[in-house]
Amino acid sequence: MAVHFTFILVLFLVLIFALRYIYNVLTKPGLKVSTILNKDKPILTLSASILVEKLQNGELRSEQIVQTYIARIKAVNGFINVVVQQRFEAALDEAREVDKRLENLSESERKAVFNAKVLYGAPFTCKEAFGFKGFAQTGGLVRRRNTIASKNAVVVQKILDAGAILLAATNVSELCMWWESTNCVYGRSLNPYNTEHIVGGSSGGEAAIIAAAGSVIGIGSDIGGSIRMPAFFNGVFGHKPSPRMVSNLGQFPVNCTEAAELMLSTGPICRYAVDLTLMLKVMSSDADFKKRLESNVDIDKLKFYSIDNCGLLASKVSPELLKAQEKVCQFFGKKIGASVTKLELPLIKHAIFIWLTKMSVMGGPSFGEMLFGVSNRATGLLSCWEVLKWCVGQSDYTFPAIRLAAFESLKNVLPKSLEQNSLRNGENLRVEIEEILGEDGVLLFPSHPSTALRHNVPIFKPNNFIYTGIFNALHLPVTQVPLGLDSNGLPLGIQVVAARNNDHLTLAVAEALEREFGGWVPPSLDAIT
């Protein structure tokens, strides 16, 4: 009897401790990053496009710009842990070389330099998953801690060739397959608007350092929302291009199957909408795509459509985000005079099944194989073993990654008819949306059902990424646009979707929304609840 009583008492104490821990996690106040100093505002609050213009005109020097951004990174990174590798001295040397070259050039000679190198002397950052020669390229995996990139990723090289200067690499989620950027190599990244909240993933570090004004332009990749979710949670712009418009080569992980090329997109994350187009012109090698980016878009002649939910097994959109979306609809309907139609697409309720099926038939190595570095047959048992190790703090893997590998090992027990039905639903939904949008339509869609959650909470809402992920499965271009802050000081936003290869439409709408709603809002230092 005494043994039973003792056992019950221990269980009760453990339960009380657990509940108290969860309460503290969910109620602990956070911090915002430090306010931008007045002396730095003339540089840190300018778009990359304007910085380059001022460099060309001789109003600013590259060393001055790079030094200001380095100082800002040093000021904020201790709060948010997003920059994981840096090359500050090398960047300053490169900036001095830029200034030295420009010093004695005539106006026409300067113009020729900047026509050839449209980002000449401007700083940028990139997601750690992209190779930069000499940098570690771990993808957040402990077993790759000593893996050093031997060459630059294709997109990194293109930005370097345009004259930009790399400052640093930023944190990712483990194997770039979760929507909170934490791993056992670099730790957890924190949101600059409230450090008790997530930055998103997998390009979470990149979006956060841009939001914190430690960078102005950067590179991310997106297979389920990995550009757009972090951009949304951190109140900046992010664009998932149409498939194959920007090279995915040179990042880890990357799958080179045809199906993977349709799902995965490399794209820009920027603080200002105007820089999205500039970056895409640099990042892409497709001449027709770059020509379309230069097309004039008459906003008031576009057709606008709106959807405010994403079907089964995902949370409903919060009232504040619904209100923000309604304001966007009112802006286009009343101020611009465009037509805004609310859509009902029954097939959207199957979104999570469509994305999961597209991922499962993509080909190439499985997530478990890439995570553990073993054959697919062993990943199920290894996942179970790693769960046990994780429970006692001995695993080199995060719980979301282990869980995903375990669930993935069960996919072969699902009936083939479910797979075929999901693929059919996905294709039918893609055709339906593209026929509705045509060459002059855009769809307004929630970026996520809530603003940035507290750390670890995504574990209990695993399917909410589908608000972004569905458009990877449908192969459509999407721009995430910030819309100010909610009542808790966290960023609001919306996605703008177009038919494939009509990226220029979503980018033009993003610029219009930035003018109306203000775009990026700087976080500032103070304790918040």
Side-chain angles (χ1 to χ4, degrees), residues 31-45:
L31 292 173
K32 296 181 184 180
V33 297
S34 55
T35 305
I36 299 173
L37 300 176
N38 286 332
K39 69 181 181 65
D40 295 332
K41 284 183 179 179
I43 289 175
L44 296 183
T45 58

Side-chain angles (χ1 to χ4, degrees), residues 34-106:
S34 55
T35 305
I36 299 173
L37 300 176
N38 286 332
K39 69 181 181 65
D40 295 332
K41 284 183 179 179
I43 289 175
L44 296 183
T45 58
L46 296 180
S47 67
S49 303
I50 294 177
L51 286 175
V52 170
E53 183 180 306
K54 288 182 176 292
L55 279 167
Q56 181 177 339
N57 295 338
E59 297 176 55
L60 289 173
R61 294 173 62 86
S62 180
E63 183 181 4
Q64 179 187 6
I65 295 169
V66 168
Q67 184 61 70
T68 302
Y69 270 101
I70 290 172
R72 179 62 179 174
I73 290 173
K74 290 179 177 179
V76 302
N77 201 50
F79 284 96
I80 55 179
N81 185 40
V82 294
V83 166
V84 295
Q85 298 178 76
Q86 52 88 3
R87 55 186 304 274
F88 294 157
E89 291 305 316
L92 283 169
D93 288 341
E94 291 169 13
R96 293 181 190 114
E97 285 297 315
V98 168
D99 294 334
K100 185 177 179 181
R101 181 184 176 191
L102 294 175
E103 201 165 42
N104 297 314
L105 295 183
S106 66

Side-chain angles (χ1 to χ4, degrees), residues 474-491:
L474 300 179
H475 315 151
L476 302 178
V478 191
T479 305
Q480 137 63 29
V481 181
L483 295 174
L485 306 180
D486 72 359
S487 57
N488 294 313
L490 294 169

